[in-house]
Amino acid sequence: MAAEKMALAKALNSSLRKALETDPKVLVMGEDVGRLGGVFRITDGLQKDFGEDRVIDTPLAESGIIGTAIGLALRGYRPVTEIQFDGFVFPAYDQIVTQLAKMHARSLGTVKLPVVIRIPYGGGIGAVEHHSESPEALFAHVAGLKIVTPADPADAYWMLQQAIQCDDPVIFFEPKARYWDKGEVDPAGIPGPLHAAKVVRAGGDLTLAAYGPTVKTALAAAAAAAEEDGTSIEVIDLRSVSPIDFDTLQRSVEKTGRLVVAHEAPVFFGSGAEVAARITERCFYHLQAPVLRVGGFHAPYPPARLEEEYLPGLDRVLDCVDRALAY
Amino acid sequence: MTVESTAARGKPRRPAAKRTAGKRQQPEPGPKPEMVQLLTPEGERVEHPDYALETTPEQLRELYRDMVLTRRFDAEATALQRQGELGLWPSLLGQEAAQIGSGRALRETDYVFPTYREHGVAWCRGVDPTKLLGMFRGVNHGGWDPASNNFHLYTIVIGSQALHATGYAMGVVKDGADVAVVAYFGDGASSQGDVAEAFTFAAVYNAPVVFFCQNNQWAISEPTERQTRVPLYQRAQGYGFPGVRVDGNDVLAVLAVTRAAAEHARTGQGPMLVEAFTYRMGAHTTSDDPTRYRRKEELEVWEAKDPLLRLRRLMERENAADDAFFTDLDAESDALARRVREAIRTMPDPDGMAMFEHTYADGHTLVDEERAQYGAYVASFADHHEGD
Ligand SMILES: Cc1ncc(C[n+]2csc(CCOP(=O)(O)OP(=O)(O)O)c2C)c(N)n1
Ligand SMILES: [Mg+2]
C-alpha cells in the first residue's frame, strides 16, 4: 500500500484492517461495529471481509464487552473493543479498573491482557449529553493501563497498530472532532515509539503542550501568536497520557522557560496538573512563569450551544499563552 | 510484543466448526411466545380472557387523537432537525400505540422514568412537547421539572433509569403509598447490567415497578436476536415476577395490559415486565442510516400493522367518529406543528455563564473561582470592543 492522503477515520479503518489481516488472533468487538461499521464508520466493511467470527456485534452492555474481552485475551486473543462514545464507558469502568488493569500484577507477570479499548472522545460536534466528554484522567489515575491519543491520520494508523501489538491494556482515545481531518499516511513507513511526545512546531518563547483534539487548536494558536505578536511557540503533541514523555517536555521547557498545557478535559485533577507538577519539579530553575493550564471547567459538559465557551478554543488558549508570557 | 502472529508463521488457525451465533437457525427455547392483542391490524376487536377492556367511542377518539398529535409532533421535530434547528432527533414513529396506550393507563400520582424516545408518554403526562426539544437543540440537558408531571428527565445512558425507577418504587413501599412506577427501556437495554440488577432489586423488595420494554426490534443496527435467545418477557420468570408480551401496535391491548400491570404494582403484588412488541419505523435517530442494515421488506410488513391505521379502521367500523372529528383533528395537528416551529424559532440560547450554575446544590469554591475567572475573561473582550 502506497502512501496516501486520508481522513483520520479512514486511517483507523485501514489500521484495523491491517491488524485483522496480519494476526488471526485480533478480534474487533463492540456495539454496531459489524454490519453498520460503527456509528462513525471506523469499522466499515470489516465484518464483510473478515466475518462475524472476528468482527463481532456485541449485546448492548459495556461491562460485558470489556469483561468478555478479558476472557478472550486470557484465551490468547487480542480483542480490539469499541466503546461507542466517551460517556458510555462507565458501565465498563469496574472491569477496566479492578480487573483489566490489575491482572498482570496479580499474576506476577504471567497473565498478559492485550486488550485495546477504542473510545471516540472530546467535544465540538454539537452532540447531546454523554457524547462529548474527555475522561482520560479517570483512567490515567489507574496503574496498569496505558493511554494514548493520536492527533493526525498518520499517528492514528501507526499508534493503533502499536496499541494492538502491545501486551498491556491500552485505552485508545480517538479525537472524534478530527475524524474527518486529512493527512498523509505511509503504511510502509517506520513509526516512532508509541509513548513518545512529538514536537510538531518548533519555537523558543513558550512551550504549548496538547494532545488529541487540542493539537490542532495549539498549532492554530502558535500560528496566530507568530503572526500577530511575533511570539515563537513550540507545540508539543503529547500523544500519550500514560505514560507521559516528560523528557521531551523538559527539553523544550528548559529552552523556552514557559509551559502551557491545553486539554478539553476539566483542568481540576486533569493530566495538565500532572504535567505542571512534574515539569515544575524538573525545570524549576528554568521556569519564568508557573505552568498554566487551559481546559474544561469543573462543570458537567454543557449543552451543545455552550460547548464553544467550555472548550479551550483558540481565544482561550491564546489568553492563557498571554498570561504565561506576562510573568 | 511477545505474541507473534500465527499468520506470520504461516499457519492461520480457524475454529473447526464455524458456529457463529449470528448464523444459528435454532428455534427459540421455551414455550412459544404469546402476545396479547385486542385489536387486529384490520381493525377488528378481539377478546382476551385475561385482559378485558370496555371502550366508549369517546375513549377511542381520545386515544386516536393522542396518537395523531404525537406522530405529528414527532414528524415536525424530524423536519426541524433537517432544517438545522435541532442537532438530533430520535423519532418514535411506529411506537405511538405502545407509548399512548401505556401512558394513558397511568394515574397522575404514578411516576414515569423514560428513555430518550418517550415523546408519546411525555404527551400523556402533560409535559409540553416544546419542552422536549431543548436538549436536542443543545440549549439544556433536560428542560422540564420531573416533579411537576411525575415524568423524570430523559436518560440517554442505556438502562440506568431502570434502577432509578426501582429505587423510587422502594421509596413508595416505605411510604405505604398507592403508586405505580414505570421504567421504560428498549430491547437493547435489556442487555445492560443495570436492567438485570433492577429486576433483581425490584423482585427482592417487591417494588411496585412496571418494567415497560418497547421491543422495537432494533438497537441501532443490531436486531433483537443480538440481545436475547428467549422472548424478552420470559426473562421475568427467572426473577420471580410475571412477564407478558403485548402487541405494541395495538393501543387497546397496551392500555389494558399496562393498566393491569400498574394495578398489580399498586396493590402490593410487586413488579411486572411488559414487553410491547412493536417496530421502530424510522431511523434510530436523524444521524442514522437504516438502509445499511435492514431491508425494505421488513418495513413493509410492519407498515401493514400501523397503530394509527388499525384504530381508525375500528372507529370507522363502529362509527365512533364523524367526518368533523377528523377534519378538526387535522386542524389541531397543523396548529400543534405551527406552535412547535414557533417555539423553536423563539427559543433563546443559554448564556455562557449558565455553565457554572447548578453543578452543586450547596455551592463549591472551585466553581465560584472558575465562574469569576471566566466572567473576567469574557468581560475583557467587551472592554476591548469599547476601546476599539
Ligand atoms: C451505556 C450506553 N451505551 C451505548 C449507548 C449508545 N446507544 C444509544 S441508543 C442505543 C441503542 C438502544 O437500543 P434500545 O435499547 O433497543 O432502544 P431504542 O433506541 O431502540 O429505542 C445505543 C447503543 C448509550 N446511549 N448508552
Ligand atoms: Mg430497540
Side-chain angles (χ1 to χ4, degrees):
Chain A
M1 202 167 120
E4 202 186 311
K5 207 171 157 117
M6 62 176 85
L8 195 149
K10 177 71 184 153
L12 292 168
N13 179 268
S14 305
S15 191
L16 287 170
R17 176 173 290 281
K18 177 87 193 305
L20 285 160
E21 269 164 14
T22 47
D23 186 348
K25 292 295 186 187
V26 169
L27 304 173
V28 168
M29 55 195 284
E31 294 155 11
D32 306 290
V33 299
R35 196 175 314 171
L36 183 64
V39 294
F40 287 108
R41 309 289 185 263
I42 304 301
T43 55
D44 192 19
L46 299 180
Q47 189 182 66
K48 193 167 132 280
D49 294 345
F50 296 94
E52 293 177 17
D53 282 347
R54 299 193 60 205
V55 180
I56 303 164
D57 271 331
T58 66
L60 205 178
E62 288 76 11
S63 181
I65 294 171
I66 303 304
T68 58
I70 292 172
L72 283 158
L74 289 170
R75 184 70 193 172
Y77 286 90
R78 303 184 89 83
V80 183
T81 62
E82 174 176 300
I83 299 293
Q84 203 161 78
F85 279 91
D86 35 65
F88 306 141
V89 68
F90 299 107
Y93 199 58
D94 170 54
Q95 286 288 347
I96 296 171
V97 171
T98 66
Q99 304 300 326
L100 185 62
K102 295 181 170 66
M103 232 175 258
H104 185 67
R106 285 180 58 217
S107 70
L108 301 178
T110 57
V111 167
K112 294 189 172 66
L113 293 180
V115 174
V116 175
I117 305 175
R118 296 181 34 244
I119 309 179
Y121 84 122
I125 64 160
V128 292
E129 221 187 349
H130 314 296
H131 292 71
S132 307
E133 296 168 13
S134 300
E136 64 273 15
L138 296 174
F139 295 96
H141 206 61
V142 180
L145 303 174
K146 289 177 173 168
I147 298 163
V148 299
T149 174
D152 58 55
D155 270 356
Y157 180 88
W158 283 113
M159 289 169 73
L160 186 53
Q161 288 292 303
Q162 293 169 316
I164 294 170
Q165 283 159 12
C166 176
D167 276 342
D168 289 310
V170 179
I171 305 192
F172 193 89
F173 281 107
E174 301 172 359
K176 68 171 89 81
R178 306 285 177 248
Y179 270 152
W180 303 281
D181 287 5
K182 288 193 167 178
E184 187 87 4
V185 177
D186 181 5
I190 298 165
L194 178 58
H195 300 288
K198 195 162 72 176
V199 176
V200 287
R201 178 184 171 114
D205 298 334
L206 178 143
T207 304
L208 178 54
Y211 55 83
T214 49
V215 172
K216 187 178 182 178
T217 318
L219 285 169
E227 190 171 319
E228 288 166 23
D229 311 316
T231 309
S232 162
I233 295 180
E234 179 145 301
V235 179
I236 293 185
D237 176 1
L238 286 182
R239 297 170 81 249
S240 176
V241 173
S242 180
I244 292 176
D245 176 2
F246 291 109
D247 293 345
T248 298
L249 280 170
Q250 181 176 351
R251 269 195 301 279
S252 176
V253 174
E254 282 176 357
K255 181 175 69 175
T256 63
R258 289 180 165 87
L259 174 62
V260 167
V261 190
H263 52 61
E264 292 190 5
V267 294
F268 189 57
F269 277 89
S271 43
E274 187 58 38
V275 169
R278 301 259 173 183
I279 290 303
T280 302
E281 204 174 322
R282 286 183 180 220
C283 307
F284 191 68
Y285 293 107
H286 291 90
L287 282 171
Q288 322 225 4
V291 179
L292 296 186
R293 294 165 291 158
V294 55
F297 300 106
H298 190 63
Y301 195 90
R305 287 187 180 239
L306 289 183
E307 68 180 336
E308 288 198 4
E309 319 233 9
Y310 176 91
L311 291 170
L314 187 61
D315 286 336
R316 281 183 59 217
V317 170
L318 285 171
D319 173 69
C320 194
V321 163
D322 286 347
R323 282 189 287 124
L325 289 168
Y327 276 88
Chain B
M1 293 186 205
T2 52
V3 176
E4 277 176 45
S5 144
T6 44
R9 281 188 255 124
K11 41 171 190 177
R13 274 204 323 125
R14 291 193 69 85
K18 285 185 56 176
R19 293 209 325 146
T20 54
K23 288 170 198 151
R24 269 187 219 150
Q25 286 291 318
Q26 296 165 9
E28 286 177 330
K32 221 178 123 41
E34 281 179 28
M35 185 165 79
V36 178
Q37 190 181 68
L38 298 181
L39 178 62
T40 68
E42 293 72 37
E44 271 171 84
R45 273 291 262 126
V46 283
E47 296 306 322
H48 190 282
D50 301 332
Y51 300 98
L53 185 74
E54 296 280 327
T55 49
T56 63
E58 190 190 352
Q59 279 170 324
L60 297 183
R61 287 196 299 273
E62 279 170 7
L63 291 169
Y64 186 73
R65 173 178 170 271
D66 284 339
M67 291 201 290
V68 165
L69 293 180
T70 300
R71 179 171 287 188
R72 181 57 182 267
F73 163 68
D74 184 76
E76 198 57 37
T78 299
L80 286 169
Q81 194 282 335
R82 299 271 179 256
Q83 293 156 24
E85 297 286 356
L86 300 179
L88 183 83
W89 183 250
S91 167
L92 69 13
L93 187 65
Q95 298 176 221
E96 294 87 353
Q99 297 197 10
I100 299 300
S102 59
R104 286 299 178 209
L106 304 179
R107 296 182 187 162
E108 215 168 295
T109 45
D110 294 336
Y111 206 101
V112 169
F113 287 83
T115 71
Y116 41 79
R117 207 189 286 286
E118 264 67 82
H119 321 314
V121 185
W123 171 264
C124 295
R125 301 306 291 171
V127 178
D128 187 328
T130 61
K131 289 198 172 162
L132 304 178
L133 301 175
M135 64 185 281
F136 298 103
R137 186 172 168 83
V139 304
N140 59 41
H141 286 321
W144 60 92
D145 174 11
S148 43
N149 302 79
N150 284 0
F151 185 76
H152 192 67
L153 298 175
Y154 277 179
T155 299
I156 289 177
V157 180
I158 299 294
S160 301
Q161 76 281 3
L163 280 166
H164 310 156
T166 302
Y168 191 95
M170 287 159 61
V172 166
V173 174
K174 290 187 190 305
D175 296 344
D178 180 19
V179 162
V181 184
V182 189
Y184 284 87
F185 60 100
D187 43 291
S190 72
S191 294
Q192 281 288 9
D194 276 9
V195 171
E197 291 173 26
F199 286 4
T200 299
F201 273 64
V204 165
Y205 295 110
N206 206 42
V209 194
V210 178
F211 291 109
F212 194 92
C213 177
Q214 284 168 88
N215 178 355
N216 63 6
Q217 314 301 326
W218 293 93
I220 308 187
S221 74
E222 298 196 19
T224 310
E225 301 85 76
R226 272 279 150 272
Q227 319 290 344
T228 185
R229 295 291 312 283
V230 298
L232 286 170
Y233 77 95
Q234 288 178 9
R235 289 215 182 145
Q237 201 188 358
Y239 289 88
F241 53 85
V244 55
R245 177 181 278 182
V246 59
D247 183 339
N249 285 16
D250 169 355
V251 70
L252 301 184
V254 175
L255 178 70
V257 168
T258 313
R259 262 189 196 158
E263 199 50 26
H264 180 90
R266 286 188 214 105
T267 51
Q269 299 176 76
M272 193 162 154
L273 171 61
V274 177
E275 176 191 3
F277 204 70
T278 181
Y279 195 75
R280 195 195 79 207
M281 293 298 292
H284 170 67
T285 66
T286 45
S287 300
D288 176 43
D289 172 13
T291 63
R292 288 178 68 100
Y293 55 81
R294 69 180 189 187
R295 293 187 318 169
K296 211 168 75 241
E297 292 76 38
E298 188 180 295
L299 211 67
E300 284 161 9
V301 169
W302 282 92
E303 253 160 22
K305 301 182 195 174
D306 185 82
L308 276 67
L309 190 61
R310 75 171 80 174
L311 183 57
R312 180 155 185 158
R313 283 178 177 150
L314 176 71
M315 289 165 74
E316 281 163 4
R317 203 185 285 269
E318 298 193 347
N319 285 322
D322 53 17
D323 288 346
F325 168 79
F326 294 108
T327 333
D328 289 352
L329 187 52
D330 280 347
E332 193 182 1
S333 284
D334 289 344
L336 174 64
R338 267 197 309 279
R339 184 160 77 81
V340 166
R341 278 198 302 274
E342 189 56 28
I344 275 291
R345 271 198 223 106
T346 54
M347 192 176 286
D349 274 354
D351 181 74
M353 299 309 286
M355 278 189 298
F356 302 100
E357 300 311 315
H358 308 306
T359 301
Y360 294 93
D362 274 349
H364 190 286
T365 51
L366 177 65
V367 175
D368 296 342
E369 187 181 320
E370 289 189 345
R371 183 196 291 112
Q373 282 170 353
Y374 187 70
Y377 165 76
V378 172
S380 73
F381 283 90
D383 296 348
H384 204 71
H385 270 287
E386 278 160 27
D388 278 350

